[in-house]
Amino acid sequence: MDEEPERAKRWEGGYERTWEVLKEDESGSLKATVEEILFQSKRKRVIESHEQVRLGMMRHLYLVIDCSRSMEDQDLKPNRLTSSLKLMEAFVDEYFDQNPISQVGIITTKNKRAEKLTDLTGNPKKHTAALKKAVDTVCAGEPSLYNSLSLAIQSLKHMPGHTSREILIVLSSLTTCDPGNIYELIKTLKSLKVRVSVIGLSAEVRVCTVLTRETGGFYHVILDESHFKELLMMHVKPPPASSSSECSLIRMGFPQHVLAALTDQDAKPSFSMSHLEGGSGGPGLSLGGYFCPQCHAKYTELPVECKVCGLTLVSAPHLARSFHHLFPLQAFVESPMQELQGDRFCQACEGELKDKRIFTCPSCHGVFCTECDLFIHDSLHCCPCCIHSHIGP
Amino acid sequence: MASLSEEVLLVLKKVRQRKQDGTLYLMAERIAWGPEGKDRFTVSHLYADIRCQKISPDGKAKVQLQLVLHTGESTTFHFSNESSAIKDRDAAKELLQQLLPKFKKKANKELEEKNRMLQEDPVLFQLYKDLVVSQVISAEEFWANKLGGVNNTDPALFNNKQEVGISGAFLADIRPQTDGCNGLRYNLTADIIESVFRTYPAVKEKYSENVPHNLTEKEFWTCFFQSHYFHRDRINTGTQDIFSECAKQDEKGLKSMVIQGVKNPFVDLLTLDDKTLDEGYGVSTTLPSTSNANRTVKESSNYAIIKRFNHHSAMVLAAGSHFWTPLCITLPAQFFFYIFFETSSTDGNSRDSDFFQPPVKKVKLQEAIEYDDLQRVNRPKTVPLNLKKSDRYAHGPVPLQSQQYTTSQEIINSVNYIRHEMANYKPNLTQVLSSTVASSAIAALSPGGVLMQTGAQQAINQMIPTEVQGELKHLYVAAGELLRHFWSCFPVNTPFLEEKVMKMKSNLERFQMTKLRPFQEKIQRQYLSTNLTGHLEEMFQTAYNKFHAWQTRRMMRKT
């Protein structure tokens, strides 16, 4: 009865009326529909991302964390600041896992000023240590978008053209106190090809919408803590390169790991250059390690930038990890569960298939549940059944 | 001697220094004194070197001016002109008072910064001692990289001198606390004071006029907060406040701003009016007139508050635009009836009306009828990836020379063969190894055996005394710094870099001679058999090889 006039309207109008999808359940809550909408957008991202596009994989990302008075609000437990910092630590670890040749720096803003917490470096330990210490900061005043963006630009503008320059802002306040015209700064950002994304903790703010739209970033506002985590993890994947970024040859060193024993004739104990400062933490004199091919300085961990000659030192597996993004796993075919014949078991987790949807790998036709499909596409980057079938005789 | 192009600001005759008559000259960058009759200056000090000036008290017979330098020395000038001694001295003092601060900041800032860095970072301090004090490299080279910012930070931001905006709520944020006996306590920070001065320049003028001559700072602020100027019902009943003039100035300022109007084609300020319908459902039909006489008491106090709010917002915006000409700031929505001053910057490409000057009517209309969220999302165009041989990414590089290598089919065949052999294995106990040979082989392959040394953690740290390790660490830091300077010269493009590379090579050799060899000899005397400096020597040798390679290439290019 209702369907005929609706169909006619849709044909005439040609647009989706998303409000019709919202349905209340018995208690009047919209939670189920909201979750459904979120899930659909996640699936859309997976499907969209498997064309081959050029990505900016050497990334220089600045995280800007709002430390203003509104971060003391307790709607995220125990308060917004602690919760955000915890999620940031997880983000930093995941980021360096998926982008081993990139760098991160952290800026905080409060009292109408911005200050750098850590500089741009590729060492995740420094960032996690600084984030842990920052839990004790007093939240006061208003944040300043202008000052934090200009502070980030100071370093980003010196980065070479083939890298991707990004800023991710976590903004909980609804105001910003700026000493100048932020629209001018947005134009500067555009000219420097810096991509700014914002995650809002309170509500949508017009300035952030304009900022992200003009620079090509994303703007989202969180619903709750798990949504916050998802939005953060969305930024771990390298973004598509803009058409104007140059490509150039990058010089990198691939040092071999040298193991030596004390009984070898020419065993030379040496210090690693990265352990000279700091003092505590890490072994002192050691025999083996990675020696820079250009200047012969020693390091115990890779990837690192040689302090003596400035060469980027990586190992081949680090680069290979970035290939997951260039050759992404194909999206699995979604189908309703009723069509499945045979045993209703997910082939990855061996659990019973409870959802209404199942996903099938196009090459090996293995069947997976929703959770496993998300895990395979986000973290594993390869279908477990396809790998198994290659190994056997 | 004075260079001819130096600008002389003040000349004072009959000034004695060290019991000699002479003339005092104040130039653009220095102060100088020359004895009578001679052309040369015997005393000359740059303003940057002067720490402070002192004058003799007014009652004394001798009218003197003393300059104290940073180094601790002092020079005294005695003004001996009978008629105008005090005037001369005061003229010199005033001029110095104006000039010294300009030069003071520059010199002090750098020194202070250097000292601070040396104190904060003991590693840097040690490096400084090792390299500069022992004259391996000069101080300028040492500071060249450090002060400029190792991480490309702007030196201006080093001192946290960020420009700060003015929060629209700064007055509301002062939040006075009651101090128990019917009084209020206002906590003023430097930020709040600066905001007040920037927003209300009239108050700043009053401050500079009255403090510290008439009132102390505390009294000034007490007066400010008590005056009706600050409070919301600004009833100008002609009280003898120092701020009553400010109120009158503000009225004039507000009127002129309203007449200037706003650059939004849809807003005409002069036709805006505060029309209230009666309470309830607005049944009353009498139109209230806007003349002051007909206002009720309540309306007029509302009117006063609204005017105050508008004026405050306008002043905040005007103060903010001191650095930039057009401005668009969104103030917090605490004030209900304030006016948006939408003067904006220029950009023809943005769909946002804030980007246009003056806001183009067309874009404003478009904004009002279209809603972005309902439209399709336009993602920026992505660049497609053109990989010519994408299977190269799946395995490593293939060697170019013809090598003996097996195809994957051969490997599969051999695996199958071994599997077959293992399945059909029958022990042949007459042809096995003897037990002694077998047990020695097992011993060699267990942890700690001869063949398993490389896996074990070597406790070298315990074998070498900690002082030796500490010294070695310092050597590493110093050598690392020198080598970093050396490697930063490559590729050698400019003559400056050529000189630098040669200088650095000689520095490296000097370091090896003066620091490395003595250390090596010392540890040899301690009968430590391990070669502790071997790695450092390798690093130096690599650097020398690079230098020689560069030199030979340069020779070949020249010939």
Side-chain angles (χ1 to χ4, degrees), chain A residues 52 54 69 113-114 119 142 146-147 154 179-180 183 187 206 210 262 268 270 285 296 307 323 326, chain B residues 151 154 162-163 167 175 191 324 346 352 354-355 367 383 385 393 461 463 476 484 535 538 542:
Chain A
Q52 281 205 330
R54 204 192 277 180
R69 217 175 347 173
R113 294 171 172 86
D119 283 314
E142 277 186 83
Y146 187 95
N147 280 339
Q154 297 286 343
Y183 288 100
K187 270 189 279 177
R206 164 77 179 251
V210 175
L262 209 50
K268 296 183 199 100
S270 41
L285 232 44
H296 218 79
K307 284 203 173 74
F323 292 164
L326 271 186
Chain B
N151 298 308
D154 207 293
Q162 287 179 1
E163 284 165 6
S167 166
R175 287 205 196 126
D191 263 350
W324 311 92
T346 65
D352 210 294
D354 292 329
F355 268 54
E367 248 189 0
V383 181
L385 190 59
Y393 289 89
N461 288 342
M463 290 202 250
Y476 260 93
R484 188 169 64 80
H535 178 233
E538 264 177 26
T542 326

Side-chain angles (χ1 to χ4, degrees), chain B residues 302-333:
Chain B
N302 285 347
Y303 180 75
I305 300 177
I306 293 168
K307 205 165 78 159
R308 256 321 278 305
F309 283 160
N310 285 337
H311 175 70
H312 176 77
S313 314
M315 296 300 284
V316 169
L317 280 176
S321 66
H322 161 63
F323 297 108
W324 311 92
T325 33
L327 185 60
C328 178
I329 293 183
T330 313
L331 294 179

